[in-house]
Amino acid sequence: MANDSSYVLYHYTPNLPCAILLAILFAFTTVFHLYQRIKAHSKYFNPFIVGGIFQIIGYGARAGSHFFMHSTILYAIQSLLILLAPTLYAASIYMVLGRIISFLHGEHLSYIPVKWMTKVFVAGDILSFILQAAGGGIMTSGSENTIKIGQWVIVAGLCVQLVFFGAFVITSLVFHIKIIRSPTIESERFMNKHGSIWPRDWRGVLFACYSASLLILIRSVYRLVEFVQGNHGYVMSHEVFLYVFDAAMMFLVMGVMNVFHPSFVLNEKAESPVSQPERNFQWKSDVEMQQHSFSSPRD
């Protein structure tokens, strides 16, 4: 971290109970995500789980900073890991959309080819990750001027994240509108006909992705304002903003994806809401045909 005396690691004493509580909450939801990933073999959620681990370590280091406020190592760990975790969430969410489109055989309804969709969005996410990580690394050492450079590199990374996330949300909405207007056989088959506020089918997964995206966008805007203002800005000087616009938002992201995990729909072994009635109908049809053959007069 900078040796410049004008740079202050914390403008407050990091709140110990809040840091411990967040570390515990993120540990709980991350373990649950790990269980869901293993059970459903959903490899596309690996980055999401790593993001959860980042949060656990980050808030654990932040709890340690309560006792060692001048430890640059603890400050760097918590700052970088909490900053980078959402980019890992985004990577998994990007991959979910492509899988939903392929699952519903709706490739013709997406204005971005599915074979390029995941690659494009994940590439933007990786670029954002690299920029934010590089900016965070620059901030951990050097003069005050170097720290300012690091802050603006992070701002660039956050801007990249916002652009790609905005494009992702638009892509999702366009596909959603098109498949409602021109449904595929699969989209109608894998649709829960029972009325509910949040359907437990592919629509529910899309709504979960929308919710997670909105929460990450809010958090990214907060971070953008924070780093534009700089180390002595009002936002960075008040810890409450971190817990309201970052910690709470990201915990909700993980919680929403726990409840509406994509594997409920995308797992090939999962039963669709209408598959069992269809089987019963098929079974009854077979029985009726057999009965008819036995009762029909012989030639």
Side-chain angles (χ1 to χ4, degrees):
M1 182 60 59
N3 296 322
D4 197 301
S5 60
S6 64
Y7 190 89
V8 180
L9 296 182
Y10 299 102
H11 294 271
Y12 47 78
T13 301
N15 189 293
L16 181 62
C18 285
I20 293 176
L21 176 62
L22 264 298
I24 293 173
L25 290 176
F26 277 114
F28 176 79
T29 183
T30 301
V31 169
F32 191 19
H33 269 294
L34 180 60
Y35 165 76
Q36 292 175 307
R37 181 259 179 268
I38 294 174
K39 183 178 179 181
H41 305 286
S42 48
K43 295 181 180 180
Y44 53 89
F45 250 67
N46 286 346
F48 205 94
I49 294 170
V50 175
I53 295 173
F54 273 24
Q55 298 280 18
I56 298 168
I57 298 173
Y59 283 102
R62 193 169 182 85
S65 294
H66 174 83
F67 302 101
F68 304 99
M69 287 183 57
H70 301 291
S71 171
T72 56
I73 295 177
L74 288 176
Y75 177 83
I77 291 174
Q78 66 87 28
S79 180
L80 276 174
L81 296 187
I82 294 174
L83 176 68
L84 296 175
T87 61
L88 296 169
Y89 299 155
S92 289
I93 294 172
Y94 291 150
M95 288 186 275
V96 168
L97 177 61
R99 281 166 170 76
I100 290 176
I101 294 175
S102 297
F103 180 78
L104 299 178
H105 291 182
E107 291 86 349
H108 60 289
L109 300 175
S110 175
Y111 70 86
I112 297 179
V114 175
K115 65 178 181 179
W116 292 106
M117 181 178 295
T118 299
K119 296 177 182 178
V120 169
F121 287 127
V122 172
D125 200 55
I126 292 173
L127 176 59
S128 173
F129 184 96
I130 292 174
L131 288 172
Q132 291 182 63
I138 294 172
M139 287 182 61
T140 59
S141 62
S143 63
E144 185 176 8
N145 290 333
T146 305
I147 292 170
K148 289 181 178 179
I149 293 174
Q151 289 176 339
W152 284 107
V153 172
I154 291 176
V155 167
L158 290 169
C159 287
V160 170
Q161 187 178 55
L162 286 170
V163 169
F164 277 87
F165 236 113
F168 167 77
V169 171
I170 293 173
T171 301
S172 302
L173 288 172
V174 169
F175 168 75
H176 199 167
I177 293 171
K178 285 186 175 182
I179 201 167
I180 289 175
R181 292 177 176 175
S182 304
T184 62
I185 296 175
E186 289 74 15
S187 69
E188 292 186 324
R189 181 186 173 208
F190 290 91
M191 183 181 293
N192 191 337
K193 303 301 181 180
H194 302 289
S196 60
I197 298 176
W198 198 309
R200 301 284 291 185
D201 53 33
W202 59 269
R203 297 169 299 169
V205 176
L206 277 179
F207 292 153
C209 289
Y210 295 150
S211 300
S213 299
L214 177 61
L215 291 168
I216 294 176
L217 282 171
I218 293 173
R219 174 265 176 193
S220 297
V221 170
Y222 148 69
R223 284 294 195 173
L224 188 62
V225 173
E226 178 187 40
F227 284 103
V228 167
Q229 288 185 351
N231 179 254
H232 298 286
Y234 183 81
V235 173
M236 195 174 289
S237 301
H238 293 76
E239 188 178 22
V240 63
F241 291 110
L242 174 70
Y243 287 109
V244 173
F245 293 107
D246 195 314
M249 298 291 127
M250 295 306 96
F251 177 72
L252 286 175
V253 167
M254 296 198 72
V256 166
M257 300 310 291
N258 273 136
V259 177
F260 299 96
H261 198 275
S263 64
F264 293 151
V265 175
L266 301 179
N267 186 8
E268 294 180 353
K269 297 180 180 179
E271 296 235 347
S272 73
V274 296
S275 60
Q276 192 62 36
E278 286 179 350
R279 280 204 190 95
N280 292 339
F281 176 77
Q282 184 65 39
W283 180 81
K284 290 179 181 178
S285 299
D286 293 340
V287 172
E288 290 172 355
M289 289 178 65
Q290 291 176 6
Q291 291 175 346
H292 178 72
S293 64
F294 288 132
S295 61
S296 60
R298 295 183 178 179
D299 293 336

